[in-house]
Amino acid sequence: MKGKHTFFILCSVLLLVFVSSSIIAEEAKPSLIKTYRADVTGDNHPETIKLMGTFFSADSTYYREIWAEISNNDNQWKISYNGGYDPYLQFVDLNHDGIKDIFYQSATGGSGGLYNYQLNTIIHTQMEKIPLPKQKYLSGNFQPDFKVNITLTATSKPITIDVKNRAQDYIRLGIYNKDGSLHSQNQSVMIDPIAFFEVFKISDSKGYGLKSYQQISGAYHADQLGTVETIWYFEDGNWIILKTKWVPSK
C-alpha cells in the first residue's frame, strides 16, 4: 500500500507540474501587435517591422514584454522595450541624419498618466539607442505668504504662483503657519518626470523635434499647480530646448 500511495503522490505532482507548465506556456505565447513598413536604414527600401508582445496573463491587456523585430533582405534586428498598454511605433527622423528613427510609446497604466518611451536608430546596420531629453534645471519651492516659485531653466527668472486659495489645506498639512510663514524653509513642490512626449514639427527646414509635458504639484500629486511644456530639438548629439512655458492648472 505504501508503494502505491507514494506512486500516486508522485504522479499527482508530475501532473500538476505538467498542467502548470502548460498554463504558463499558454500565457507566455507571443502575439503580433502590428506590422509596419518603413525605411529605417536609408537604403530607399522599406523594412518590415513587427511589433510583438506577451500579455501579463490570458485575461490582461497589459504587455509584460514588448519588442520589435526588424528585417530586410540582408539584416535582422531586435529592439526590447518596457512593458505597457497600447504600444505603438512612429517612424520619423529625429536626429536629422536623413534616416527615419524608431520611436516607441506605451502607457504605464499608473495614476500619474506616465508613458514609456524609447528612441532607436540604425546607423551603418548597427542598432543604437538615443537617450530622450530630461529637464535639468526645473525646480519649485514654497515661498512665504502662500506663494510658490517655479524656475524653468538655469537662466530664467522664477515664476511666482499665488496659492492662497489652498491655504487651509497647506496649513493643515504643516507646510504653512496661519500667518503665511513657512513651517520650515526650502520646502519643494512635487515635480513629476516627463509624462508624455509627442513628435513635433519645428519647421520645413529644421524637420522634427519632440514636445514634452511635465506636471508640477504642490503638497501631493492631485494638488496640481500646472504643466511645463517644452519643445526639444536634437543637435550635435544633444537635446536642446527651443522653447519652454508654464501652463497653470485651471
Side-chain angles (χ1 to χ4, degrees):
M1 290 294 292
K2 185 177 179 180
K4 290 183 178 179
H5 182 68
T6 302
F7 178 75
F8 175 76
I9 293 175
L10 180 60
C11 289
S12 299
V13 170
L14 291 173
L15 180 62
L16 180 61
V17 170
F18 175 77
V19 172
S20 300
S21 300
S22 299
I23 293 172
I24 293 172
E26 183 178 351
E27 290 177 348
K29 185 177 180 181
S31 60
L32 175 65
I33 300 170
K34 188 172 182 178
T35 299
Y36 303 86
R37 294 277 291 169
D39 179 13
V40 293
T41 60
D43 64 355
N44 295 319
H45 298 286
E47 279 67 49
T48 299
I49 301 105
K50 293 183 178 181
L51 185 61
M52 307 289 294
T54 302
F55 285 116
F56 181 77
S57 63
D59 57 351
S60 174
T61 58
Y62 177 85
Y63 290 95
R64 61 180 174 84
E65 292 180 335
I66 302 171
W67 65 96
E69 297 175 356
I70 304 166
S71 62
N72 58 24
N73 291 333
D74 301 312
N75 296 285
Q76 293 184 340
W77 301 267
K78 181 179 179 180
I79 310 173
S80 297
Y81 298 120
N82 288 328
Y85 295 94
D86 303 317
Y88 70 93
L89 299 176
Q90 290 176 270
F91 306 96
V92 60
D93 182 14
L94 287 169
N95 67 348
H96 315 296
D97 63 352
I99 302 170
K100 289 181 179 179
D101 307 309
I102 306 161
F103 188 52
Y104 164 79
Q105 173 183 315
S106 70
T108 65
S111 59
L114 300 177
Y115 284 74
N116 295 312
Y117 291 94
Q118 188 169 316
L119 179 60
N120 290 85
T121 188
I122 297 175
I123 301 176
H124 304 303
T125 73
Q126 297 298 311
M127 181 67 68
E128 295 188 12
K129 187 175 180 180
I130 301 175
L132 290 169
K134 293 181 180 179
Q135 288 276 11
K136 295 180 180 180
Y137 303 105
L138 184 61
S139 63
N141 299 89
F142 289 100
Q143 299 294 315
D145 197 26
F146 303 106
K147 289 181 171 57
V148 170
N149 277 356
I150 304 293
T151 304
L152 300 182
T153 67
T155 57
S156 63
K157 294 181 179 180
I159 298 168
T160 301
I161 306 163
D162 192 318
V163 292
K164 283 189 177 71
N165 61 333
R166 312 178 194 213
Q168 293 303 315
D169 200 18
Y170 291 160
I171 292 169
R172 177 182 60 83
L173 293 168
I175 296 173
Y176 286 97
N177 299 309
K178 290 183 179 180
D179 63 357
S181 61
L182 287 166
H183 187 72
S184 61
Q185 298 300 314
N186 299 319
Q187 293 198 67
S188 299
V189 297
M190 296 180 62
I191 300 178
D192 282 0
I194 290 174
F196 190 79
F197 284 105
E198 65 178 354
V199 174
F200 186 86
K201 186 173 183 179
I202 307 299
S203 66
D204 289 339
S205 59
K206 285 186 172 295
Y208 290 88
L210 292 173
K211 186 175 183 179
S212 67
Y213 300 83
Q214 190 165 4
Q215 180 179 304
I216 296 183
S217 304
Y220 46 89
H221 193 267
D223 180 29
Q224 297 181 12
L225 298 175
T227 304
V228 178
E229 297 182 2
T230 305
I231 297 174
W232 304 86
Y233 189 77
F234 196 80
E235 187 173 72
D236 298 327
N238 295 293
W239 291 100
I240 60 172
I241 293 176
L242 297 184
K243 182 179 179 182
T244 187
K245 69 175 182 176
W246 171 252
V247 181
S249 296
K250 295 181 180 179

